[in-house]
Amino acid sequence: MKYLSYIFLTILSLVFVSCGDDDGLPEPDGGNSLGTGQVNFDFSGEGYEVNGLGYVSVVDTFINFAIEDSTGTLNYDTLYNQAISFGIIDYQDDSFTPRKVFGALIVNYDGPGTYPYFGFNGNVEDSGLWWIFYSQYTDDGVTSEEAIYGGLSLLYSDDQNYSGSIVITKDNNNLLEGTFSVDAYSDLGVAETVNTMAGSFSIEK
């Protein structure tokens, strides 16, 4: 069975618009919070680190998707769910120009626990890791020097044997912590060559 998913940019827009103001920075209101954060992870034999502004935001997701059944018919549906979006942004100097960004989104988040990749396994009400990503930019803060994607992006492939999960180990009024080990790929490397992206993060609220 082949799964198709789309309107990725819509999802990203909802996440960042709902937790930000006109300058694009998250706001500590409406279920959102700001603090400092750090993430360390390994991917394809290299180590990565992001230190900077951490954000945690409760968002509403609007996800259109289609599932192709055994007859080749596409069955369309829409998923409206609450999710938790969180990440860390390393800004250049004192400006709002990003140098590195790490982020993730969990659909139907329900506190500490293990969230495997969200896979549309016949039940769109499942909880799971919808996407996880890392981006590194040039001095303009727009052009990507490197990008690593996991989750949603993998659903575009015919091969559904991807695995991985994110584990939230702590979530209280002061701190969000967790670990992850997921299949992911770099868009600047060999096209869709999948490697393991594994590490840990800590975000102060």
Side-chain angles (χ1 to χ4, degrees):
M1 182 178 291
K2 181 179 180 180
Y3 296 86
L4 303 176
S5 179
Y6 53 96
I7 313 191
F8 184 36
L9 292 178
T10 301
I11 300 167
L12 288 176
S13 297
L14 284 170
V15 169
F16 289 105
V17 168
S18 63
C19 66
D21 56 17
D22 290 339
D23 63 14
L25 292 175
E27 291 270 81
D29 62 318
N32 308 320
S33 60
L34 289 173
T36 58
Q38 178 179 23
V39 60
N40 295 275
F41 68 91
D42 294 318
F43 177 77
S44 192
E46 293 189 30
Y48 296 82
E49 182 177 16
V50 183
N51 294 281
L53 175 71
Y55 66 89
V56 179
S57 177
V58 176
V59 299
D60 291 321
T61 57
F62 171 77
I63 304 167
N64 286 327
F65 65 92
I67 298 179
E68 182 179 331
D69 62 23
S70 58
T71 67
T73 302
L74 289 177
N75 300 296
Y76 295 90
D77 205 344
T78 302
L79 172 64
Y80 299 92
N81 288 82
Q82 193 170 77
I84 183 174
S85 170
F86 57 90
I88 301 156
I89 306 171
D90 175 13
Y91 288 106
Q92 297 179 26
D93 302 321
D94 294 327
S95 71
F96 292 145
T97 304
R99 179 187 294 111
K100 300 177 183 178
V101 178
F102 167 83
L105 185 146
I106 300 174
V107 177
N108 288 328
Y109 178 72
D110 191 30
T114 300
Y115 295 89
Y117 268 152
F118 189 96
F120 294 133
N121 295 318
N123 180 7
V124 296
E125 300 303 322
D126 287 344
S127 297
L129 176 62
W130 183 247
W131 49 255
I132 186 168
F133 73 94
Y134 165 84
S135 295
Q136 180 173 324
Y137 300 96
T138 59
D139 290 342
D140 63 9
V142 176
T143 306
S144 178
E145 287 187 328
E146 183 166 12
I148 300 170
Y149 302 107
L152 172 63
S153 300
L154 297 177
L155 296 176
Y156 284 100
S157 172
D158 290 333
D159 185 355
Q160 292 298 304
N161 295 319
Y162 298 118
S163 63
S165 63
I166 187 166
V167 180
I168 303 300
T169 55
K170 180 179 292 187
D171 184 5
N172 55 36
N173 291 332
N174 302 312
L175 198 64
L176 178 72
E177 289 185 337
T179 62
F180 55 91
S181 180
V182 298
D183 288 340
Y185 72 92
S186 171
D187 70 342
L188 299 184
V190 179
E192 296 198 21
T193 298
V194 175
N195 290 282
T196 300
M197 178 184 183
S200 62
F201 63 89
S202 178
I203 301 174
E204 294 180 356
K205 297 182 179 180

